Amino acid sequence: MAGVTHKPATLPPDRLIEDLNASQREAVRITSGPLAIIAGAGSGKTRVISRRAAYAIETGAVRADQILLVTFTDKAAGEMVERVAVLGHGGVMARTFHAAALAQLRHFWPGRHDGAALPSTLDSKLKLLAPLVGRLPGGYRFTPSKDVADTIEWAKVRRIPPERWIGDGGDRAPIPPELFARLYRDYERAKTAANLLDFEDMLVQTVELLENDAGAVALVRSRKSWFSVDEYQDTNPLAERLLALWMGESPDLAVVGDPNQTIYTFTGATPEFLLGFADRHSGTKVVTLADNYRSSPQILELANRLVSGSPGAGRPEAGGGLRATRPDGPAPSIRRFADAEAELRDILAWIRAVHEAGVDFNECAVLVRMNAQLPPIEDALTRAGIPFTVRGRRFFDRREVREAIRLLRRQTFEETGDALVAAVERFFVDKMGLGDVAVEAGQEGRERAASLEVLLGIVEDLSGAARTGGGDHIGIAAVLAELDSRQAAESAGPAAGVNLLTYHRAKGLEWDAVYLPALDEGTLPIRQAREADEIDEERRLLYVGITRARHHLALSSASRRPSRFLDSLAPAGPKTPRSAGAGRVRHLPGAPLPVAASPDERLLEALRRWRRERATADGVPAYVVFHDTTLALIADERPRNLPALRRVKGLGPAKLERYGAEVLAVIDAAE
C-alpha cells in the first residue's frame, strides 16, 4: 500500500557470514569479551563491524539498544547506521566520541549548573586565537594560529592545563613555552567569557562529569554496554579515558584499526593504544584482516615491503602483510627526473596514458605532502586542458596567500625584473615572517612558508621569462595580473576530474590510478621530521598513499637526493619466474632504484663543524641553523654564489641573508 514503509527483514546468523572470508567470519562470531581487529587497508572492516553488530543481536549476545559503534567521523557514523539498518536493526547507535559526549553533556549540564543550558560550541579556535597571536611580540606575531590551535588540542587531549604547560608540555609549541602558556591561558579565559566550549572541551567536560558524578556514570553505563571503536589507531589519551569511563566493568569492547595508517599523531593520536590493547585487556582475542579487496598484487607487494621493517612489525597487533584478492595489474613504476619541470611533464603524460587505457579522470589522483605543492600541478593540468579538482583548500583560498596578495597590492614597488624578485622576497620576510624559524616550526607554518615560496617562485618565473624573451623587465602590475589570472583559472576549474590532494586528506579514499610525486628527502620525509617516530609517521603517510591505488601506481623523485623510503621498495631477494612477473617494479627512466647521491664527505664535515660553531655562538640548537638534509644538499650541489645557494631546497630567504656568505666561504675553503 502506498506510503507504508517496511522494516528490512533480518538475516539469520548463518546468512550474515556466508559471504565473508575466514578471518572476517572469525571476527564477526566473537560477540563478547575484548577483541582487537587489525584491519589492513582495503580489508572490508566496515562490513565486518556492521555484520558483527547484527550477528551479536541475532544470536542474543546483546540488545540493539545496548550497542554503541564509535566511528572517526560523522559521515562514517551515518554510513554505519545505514549498513546495520539494512540488515534489519535500525535501533543501533553509531556516533563519534565527540557526538556521544556532547549528547551526554546536554543531558546532565542543566542539573549541574542551576538549570543553565550547555554553552555553545566554538566551531574554530582561530576566531579567538587570531587576535591573541597578532599581539605576540616581534616575529612571533606571524606564527600561524592553526599551529597554536593544534598545540592547544595536543595539550587538552592529555589534560595539560595552561598552568602546567611549562613543566609538562616540553618543546611542542611553535613559540617559547612561557609565551605559549600565557597565550593558552588567555585563550581559555576568552572562551569562558564568551560562554563557549571548544571541540576538546566536549571530551574534557564529559570525562570530568563521569569521574565525579556516580549517578551520571551509572546512568550512562546502564544505557550502553557493548562497544566497537573504529580507527582505533587514531585514538588519543582523552578519548581512551572517556571510553574506559563508558565501559566500567563491561568486557565487551572491540577495537578496529591499522597501526600502519596512524598519520594524525600531531593531534594527539597514538597507535600505542591499539598495539598495547591485549596487554591492557586480559583475554583479548586478536583477529587480523589481511585480505585486501582494493589493490592489485603488484601494488600490495610494494606496500608490504615499505612497512616490513617499521617499528612493531611482527607483533600480532601490528598485523602482517596484505594479501591480494584481485588479479594482476601493471607493475608500479618508480621514476627519477632531473628537475621538477621534467616530473610535471611526466605527470601529464602518465595521466593521459592511463586515461587512454580506459581510466576516467575522476578515477585518477595525485597526492602530495603539503598543499603548497599543488599550484604547479594545477597550472600544468590547466594548460594541458585536463580537468581536475582540488580536495581541500585551493591555493588561492589559503589565508596567507590572500593576505600576501592584498599586501602586494597596497605596496609601491618601483623595482622591476630581478630587483623586483629581491624586493618581494624582502617584503615577505619583513611583513609575513618568511624564513623565520619560529613561524615555520609547526605544520601550518611549513605550509604557510611553502605558499609564500610558491608566490615568490611565480615572480621569479615571470622575471626569467621576460629576460629570456628579450622583453622589458616585468613590474609589480604584471605580477598582480598573473596572480589574478591564475586565481580566476583555479576558481573556474571544474568540480570533477583528476583529484589533487594531500596524503592526509586521501585517507579512507581510493582511485584506479594514483601518482605520488616529489618523493625527495626534505619533502617525504619532510625536513622537520628528525626523531625516529617522526620519520616512521612519514613512512606511514607513504604507505597510505600507495594503498589508495587500485590498479595503476607511479612514484617519482625530482631531486638529487631521493627519499630514503625508496630504498625500502627494492625487491627482497631472488624471485621465481612467476612471482617476478607479478611483482616487478619498473624503474623509469633508468635503473636501479634511485639512491641518495653521496655528498662530498669532506665538505659535509666542514659544514657541520661551521654549524656547530655558529649554533654555539647564537645559543640555539644546531638544527635551527640548518637541518642535516640541507647541509647534505649543499655538500652535494656545491653552490658557488648566492643565486645558486638560493636554489637549494630548504634554504629560505632569511637563512640565505643570515648565513649565505658564511656557507659560501666554507665551500671555497674546502676546495
Side-chain angles (χ1 to χ4, degrees), residues 71-382:
T71 61
F72 195 62
T73 65
D74 290 325
K75 179 182 177 183
E79 291 173 351
M80 192 68 72
V81 166
E82 289 179 8
R83 288 205 182 207
V84 181
V86 166
L87 298 173
H89 300 287
V92 172
M93 178 183 290
R95 285 183 172 173
T96 65
F97 276 110
H98 291 83
L102 187 59
Q104 292 168 11
L105 271 186
R106 285 200 179 108
H107 178 81
F108 292 110
W109 189 275
R112 293 170 56 87
H113 295 83
D114 298 324
L118 183 72
S120 300
T121 302
L122 179 64
D123 58 356
S124 171
K125 293 183 182 68
L126 304 188
K127 293 179 180 178
L128 298 181
L129 280 174
L132 297 174
V133 172
R135 293 198 289 269
L136 289 173
Y140 294 120
R141 70 185 187 279
F142 298 123
T143 304
S145 298
K146 187 178 183 303
D147 283 334
V148 176
D150 287 345
T151 309
I152 289 176
E153 179 176 341
W154 184 91
K156 295 183 82 164
V157 300
R158 287 164 175 76
R159 305 177 76 178
I160 301 174
E163 56 270 18
R164 291 208 340 257
W165 175 259
I166 294 177
D168 297 343
D171 60 355
R172 184 89 188 182
I175 57 179
E178 296 80 5
L179 273 183
F180 178 78
R182 187 181 75 192
L183 189 64
Y184 183 6
R185 182 187 65 241
D186 291 346
Y187 164 76
E188 289 294 314
R189 287 174 175 170
K191 180 164 56 68
T192 301
N195 195 33
L196 294 169
L197 296 178
D198 65 21
F199 203 54
E200 291 70 50
D201 287 334
M202 298 179 197
L203 303 192
V204 170
Q205 294 285 348
T206 307
V207 165
E208 291 180 357
L209 165 73
L210 300 181
E211 285 179 336
N212 297 300
D213 189 327
V217 75
L219 180 58
V220 166
R221 290 172 181 172
S222 71
R223 299 276 178 86
K224 303 295 175 188
S225 60
W226 196 93
F227 300 87
S228 177
V229 182
D230 191 15
E231 301 287 1
Y232 191 64
Q233 77 277 353
D234 290 322
T235 300
N236 62 52
L238 188 58
E240 178 70 8
R241 175 57 180 153
L242 180 59
L243 180 61
L245 288 166
W246 284 345
M247 290 188 58
E249 299 300 318
S250 173
D252 297 329
L253 171 62
V255 297
V256 186
D258 180 4
N260 289 325
Q261 296 189 69
T262 308
I263 59 173
Y264 294 108
T265 61
F266 61 90
T267 65
T270 170
E272 290 309 310
F273 290 124
L274 177 59
L275 293 172
F277 184 81
D279 295 333
R280 300 192 313 279
H281 297 269
S282 178
T284 293
K285 296 180 175 65
V286 179
V287 178
T288 299
L289 307 181
D291 290 325
N292 177 283
Y293 295 91
R294 176 188 301 158
S295 305
S296 69
Q298 289 77 9
I299 291 171
L300 295 185
E301 183 182 353
L302 212 62
N304 288 338
R305 284 205 297 267
L306 179 66
V307 298
S308 62
S310 61
R315 295 172 58 178
E317 298 89 340
L322 295 170
R323 294 189 297 263
T325 62
R326 297 188 58 174
D328 281 345
S333 64
I334 298 177
R335 300 153 184 255
R336 187 175 183 181
F337 302 101
D339 53 42
E341 287 300 318
E343 186 177 52
L344 273 176
R345 289 193 295 272
D346 187 72
I347 292 173
L348 298 180
W350 184 85
I351 290 172
R352 289 192 184 103
V354 296
H355 183 63
E356 290 171 2
V359 179
D360 191 273
F361 285 130
N362 294 336
E363 281 295 335
C364 296
V366 181
L367 309 186
V368 295
R369 178 62 177 84
M370 293 195 303
N371 279 302
Q373 294 172 254
L374 292 178
I377 304 173
E378 293 179 47
D379 187 53
L381 290 171
T382 299

Side-chain angles (χ1 to χ4, degrees), residues 404-458:
I405 294 174
R406 184 183 70 82
L407 291 174
L408 287 176
R409 292 189 194 283
R410 295 174 55 185
Q411 181 73 11
T412 300
F413 290 96
E414 301 294 341
E415 299 88 349
T416 61
D418 291 345
L420 176 63
V421 176
V424 171
E425 185 174 60
R426 289 193 301 271
F427 184 74
F428 285 169
V429 170
D430 294 339
K431 300 299 184 183
M432 302 196 71
L434 178 61
D436 192 306
V437 173
V439 171
E440 298 177 23
Q443 177 152 318
E444 186 67 13
R446 296 191 289 270
E447 288 271 7
R448 187 175 188 272
S451 295
L452 295 177
E453 290 283 2
V454 168
L455 290 177
L456 189 59
I458 293 172

Side-chain angles (χ1 to χ4, degrees), residues 621-644:
Y623 70 81
V624 170
V625 178
F626 280 124
H627 291 277
D628 287 340
T629 302
T630 306
L631 290 185
L633 284 171
I634 293 171
D636 184 30
E637 299 180 19
R638 303 181 74 89
R640 302 305 178 93
N641 51 48
L642 286 176

